[in-house]
Amino acid sequence: MPYGLKDEDFAKIQNKIAKKLYEIPSLDRAAFLVECTEQELREAMSELRKTPKSKGKIEAVERELRNRGNKNKKTKFFPNDLEEKRFAGEWTKVCGRIRGNERC
Protein backbone atom coordinates (compact mmCIF):
# COMPACT_ATOMS: atom_id res chain seq x y z
CA MET A 1 0.00 0.00 0.00
CA PRO A 2 1.55 3.33 -1.03
CA TYR A 3 1.76 6.04 1.61
CA GLY A 4 -0.57 8.97 0.82
CA LEU A 5 -1.29 8.09 -2.81
CA LYS A 6 -4.29 6.60 -4.58
CA ASP A 7 -3.80 3.16 -6.08
CA GLU A 8 -4.47 4.38 -9.64
CA ASP A 9 -1.87 7.19 -9.26
CA PHE A 10 0.60 4.69 -7.82
CA ALA A 11 0.03 2.33 -10.76
CA LYS A 12 0.97 5.13 -13.21
CA ILE A 13 4.48 5.50 -11.76
CA GLN A 14 7.01 3.86 -14.09
CA ASN A 15 10.24 4.54 -12.17
CA LYS A 16 11.18 1.89 -9.59
CA ILE A 17 12.96 4.40 -7.29
CA ALA A 18 9.94 6.73 -7.28
CA LYS A 19 7.66 3.78 -6.56
CA LYS A 20 9.86 2.64 -3.69
CA LEU A 21 9.79 6.15 -2.16
CA TYR A 22 6.00 5.83 -1.86
CA GLU A 23 6.26 2.38 -0.31
CA ILE A 24 8.77 3.13 2.46
CA PRO A 25 8.16 5.39 5.48
CA SER A 26 9.69 8.87 5.47
CA LEU A 27 12.20 7.96 8.18
CA ASP A 28 13.77 5.29 5.94
CA ARG A 29 14.08 7.50 2.84
CA ALA A 30 17.56 8.84 3.58
CA ALA A 31 19.04 5.37 4.02
CA PHE A 32 17.39 4.20 0.81
CA LEU A 33 18.53 7.20 -1.24
CA VAL A 34 22.17 6.80 -0.19
CA GLU A 35 22.24 3.45 -1.99
CA CYS A 36 20.93 4.90 -5.30
CA THR A 37 23.13 6.28 -8.06
CA GLU A 38 22.93 9.92 -9.08
CA GLN A 39 21.45 8.95 -12.45
CA GLU A 40 18.71 6.92 -10.78
CA LEU A 41 17.87 9.85 -8.49
CA ARG A 42 17.62 12.27 -11.41
CA GLU A 43 15.32 9.91 -13.29
CA ALA A 44 13.16 9.50 -10.19
CA MET A 45 12.92 13.29 -9.84
CA SER A 46 11.31 13.66 -13.25
CA GLU A 47 8.77 10.98 -12.37
CA LEU A 48 8.06 12.48 -8.93
CA ARG A 49 7.38 15.91 -10.42
CA LYS A 50 4.53 14.38 -12.46
CA THR A 51 3.05 12.58 -9.46
CA PRO A 52 0.72 14.22 -6.91
CA LYS A 53 1.63 14.41 -3.21
CA SER A 54 5.35 14.04 -3.78
CA LYS A 55 6.68 17.26 -2.22
CA GLY A 56 8.42 15.51 0.68
CA LYS A 57 9.91 12.89 -1.59
CA ILE A 58 11.23 15.53 -4.01
CA GLU A 59 12.80 17.41 -1.10
CA ALA A 60 14.48 14.22 0.14
CA VAL A 61 15.94 13.47 -3.31
CA GLU A 62 17.08 17.08 -3.75
CA ARG A 63 18.73 17.00 -0.32
CA GLU A 64 20.60 13.80 -1.23
CA LEU A 65 21.76 15.26 -4.55
CA ARG A 66 22.90 18.45 -2.80
CA ASN A 67 24.84 16.45 -0.23
CA ARG A 68 26.60 14.51 -2.98
CA GLY A 69 27.38 17.73 -4.82
CA ASN A 70 28.91 19.28 -1.71
CA LYS A 71 31.12 16.26 -1.13
CA ASN A 72 32.42 16.41 -4.70
CA LYS A 73 33.26 20.11 -4.64
CA LYS A 74 36.85 21.17 -4.49
CA THR A 75 37.64 23.84 -1.90
CA LYS A 76 38.87 27.01 -3.57
CA PHE A 77 41.04 29.23 -1.37
CA PHE A 78 41.57 32.09 -3.81
CA PRO A 79 38.74 33.94 -5.54
CA ASN A 80 40.79 34.34 -8.74
CA ASP A 81 44.07 33.31 -10.37
CA LEU A 82 45.76 36.68 -9.82
CA GLU A 83 45.48 36.41 -6.05
CA GLU A 84 46.77 32.84 -6.16
CA LYS A 85 49.83 33.95 -8.16
CA ARG A 86 50.38 36.89 -5.79
CA PHE A 87 50.29 34.54 -2.80
CA ALA A 88 52.71 32.13 -4.49
CA GLY A 89 55.16 34.98 -5.13
CA GLU A 90 54.99 36.20 -1.55
CA TRP A 91 55.36 32.65 -0.27
CA THR A 92 58.49 32.20 -2.36
CA LYS A 93 59.99 35.39 -0.91
CA VAL A 94 59.25 34.31 2.66
CA CYS A 95 60.75 30.86 2.04
CA GLY A 96 63.89 32.54 0.73
CA ARG A 97 64.21 34.71 3.83
CA ILE A 98 63.72 31.73 6.12
CA ARG A 99 66.38 29.70 4.32
CA GLY A 100 68.80 32.62 4.23
CA ASN A 101 68.85 33.29 0.52
CA GLU A 102 66.60 35.51 -1.54
CA ARG A 103 65.05 32.80 -3.73
CA CYS A 104 63.57 29.38 -2.91
Side-chain angles (χ1 to χ4, degrees):
M1 182 73 187
Y3 285 97
L5 196 63
K6 295 178 183 174
D7 287 335
E8 54 270 5
D9 290 334
F10 183 72
K12 292 178 187 176
I13 299 174
Q14 300 295 318
N15 187 287
K16 64 178 182 173
I17 304 290
K19 246 183 189 190
K20 188 70 175 176
L21 286 171
Y22 278 99
E23 293 172 341
I24 60 177
S26 60
L27 295 175
D28 296 336
R29 282 185 198 146
F32 171 71
L33 293 174
V34 169
E35 298 173 1
C36 299
T37 66
E38 190 169 334
Q39 181 65 29
E40 289 174 330
L41 293 177
R42 293 194 186 285
E43 290 171 0
M45 281 293 282
S46 61
E47 187 75 30
L48 288 171
R49 287 191 174 113
K50 296 184 244 177
T51 310
K53 297 184 180 180
S54 59
K55 182 180 177 185
K57 291 143 191 73
I58 290 173
E59 289 172 356
V61 173
E62 286 176 343
R63 189 177 317 114
E64 178 61 28
L65 288 171
R66 240 188 343 267
N67 288 343
R68 290 181 186 191
N70 290 339
K71 289 178 185 175
N72 295 334
K73 281 187 182 175
K74 187 176 162 184
T75 303
K76 187 155 175 97
F77 291 104
F78 301 100
N80 57 38
D81 291 340
L82 180 63
E83 290 197 27
E84 186 174 358
K85 288 177 184 175
R86 190 176 295 150
F87 175 79
E90 292 296 319
W91 185 259
T92 303
K93 288 179 191 176
V94 170
C95 287
R97 281 189 228 137
I98 291 171
R99 291 184 182 154
N101 55 0
E102 283 303 312
R103 290 187 282 188
C104 278

